[in-house]
Amino acid sequence: GDALAAKAYLRQCLQLGCPADEIHYNLGELEQEAGTPQAAIEHYRAVGDSPYFLVANRRVAALFLQSQQYRSLHQHFADQREQYPRRAEQLFALEAQALSTANQHQSTLELLNQALGLYPNSESLRYARAMTAQSLGDLDQLEQDLTTILALSPNTTRPFLMHSDIPLRIKQID
C-alpha cells in the first residue's frame, strides 16, 4: 500500500516537472525494495549528472553483481562514460570497485589498465590497480604503481604508505 502510493506520488511529481534525477533515484529504491531489480535499474539509469549520479550507478553495479551479470555491468559503465565523459574517471573507479568486490581481479586489472591509459596521473585509479596487483600476487606491478603515486604527490602519499601494511620492497623512498 505505502510503496504503491509513494510510486504514484513520485510519478505524478515527474509529470509536474519535479527534479527528475531525485525522483528516478527514489523510484529505483522503491523498485529495489519491492524485489524488481530490472525496474530499479531502469530508474537508476535515468538519473543524470546530479548529486544522485554516483550513488545510482553504485546501486546499478550492486544489482548486476547480485545476479553475476558482469557483461551488463561493463556495458552499463561504458555507456555511462560515453554519455557523461566528465564523470568517466569516477565511473572507471566505481566499475573497478564493483568488480573487485566480486573477486573479479583479472577483469578489474584489465579495466584499470584501460582507465590508466586515459588517466595516467589518476592516483585513485593507480592505487586501485596496485591493490588489485597485490590481490593477484603481482608485487612488481604493486611496487611500480606505488612508486608512481609517490612521484606524483610525495608530500601527501609518503606518510600514508610509510604507515600502511602494504609489503613494499622499496629500500629507500628518497
Side-chain angles (χ1 to χ4, degrees), residues 43-93:
H43 282 293
Y44 290 139
R45 281 182 167 166
V47 173
D49 194 355
S50 69
Y52 297 91
F53 182 76
L54 292 177
V55 70
N57 278 284
R58 220 176 261 122
R59 295 266 179 133
V60 169
L63 288 167
F64 281 136
L65 288 181
Q66 282 176 358
S67 53
Q68 298 181 343
Q69 296 181 51
Y70 302 118
R71 274 199 194 114
S72 297
L73 172 80
H74 179 67
Q75 190 58 55
H76 166 74
F77 280 102
D79 292 345
Q80 291 290 81
R81 285 190 292 271
E82 188 175 310
Q83 189 172 356
Y84 302 100
R86 187 177 78 73
R87 297 282 202 145
E89 185 178 346
Q90 291 173 309
L91 290 164
F92 272 120

Side-chain angles (χ1 to χ4, degrees), residues 13-166:
C13 279
L14 259 181
Q15 292 172 347
L16 295 172
C18 296
D21 293 329
E22 181 178 358
I23 291 171
H24 279 296
Y25 179 78
N26 287 313
L27 284 168
E29 280 188 321
L30 287 170
E31 294 293 356
Q32 193 172 354
E33 289 170 12
T36 49
Q38 196 52 48
I41 287 170
E42 288 173 27
H43 282 293
Y44 290 139
R45 281 182 167 166
V47 173
D49 194 355
S50 69
Y52 297 91
F53 182 76
L54 292 177
V55 70
N57 278 284
R58 220 176 261 122
R59 295 266 179 133
V60 169
L63 288 167
F64 281 136
L65 288 181
Q66 282 176 358
S67 53
Q68 298 181 343
Q69 296 181 51
Y70 302 118
R71 274 199 194 114
S72 297
L73 172 80
H74 179 67
Q75 190 58 55
H76 166 74
F77 280 102
D79 292 345
Q80 291 290 81
R81 285 190 292 271
E82 188 175 310
Q83 189 172 356
Y84 302 100
R86 187 177 78 73
R87 297 282 202 145
E89 185 178 346
Q90 291 173 309
L91 290 164
F92 272 120
L94 279 178
E95 183 180 359
Q97 182 181 32
L99 289 169
S100 181
T101 300
N103 293 317
Q104 299 293 309
H105 300 300
Q106 192 58 46
S107 296
T108 305
L109 183 64
E110 291 165 12
L111 177 73
L112 290 168
N113 286 339
Q114 176 191 355
L116 284 164
L118 298 169
Y119 303 98
N121 294 328
S122 171
E123 292 177 29
S124 61
L125 293 174
R126 194 161 298 277
Y127 185 76
R129 186 171 71 178
M131 295 300 94
T132 302
Q134 182 181 26
S135 296
L136 292 169
D138 185 349
L139 295 182
D140 290 336
Q141 185 66 60
L142 170 69
E143 182 178 327
Q144 182 182 342
D145 283 335
L146 293 179
T147 302
T148 301
I149 292 169
L150 277 170
L152 289 171
S153 61
N155 294 332
T156 55
T157 55
R158 182 176 315 220
F160 168 74
L161 291 175
M162 296 302 287
H163 293 89
S164 72
D165 60 353
I166 299 167

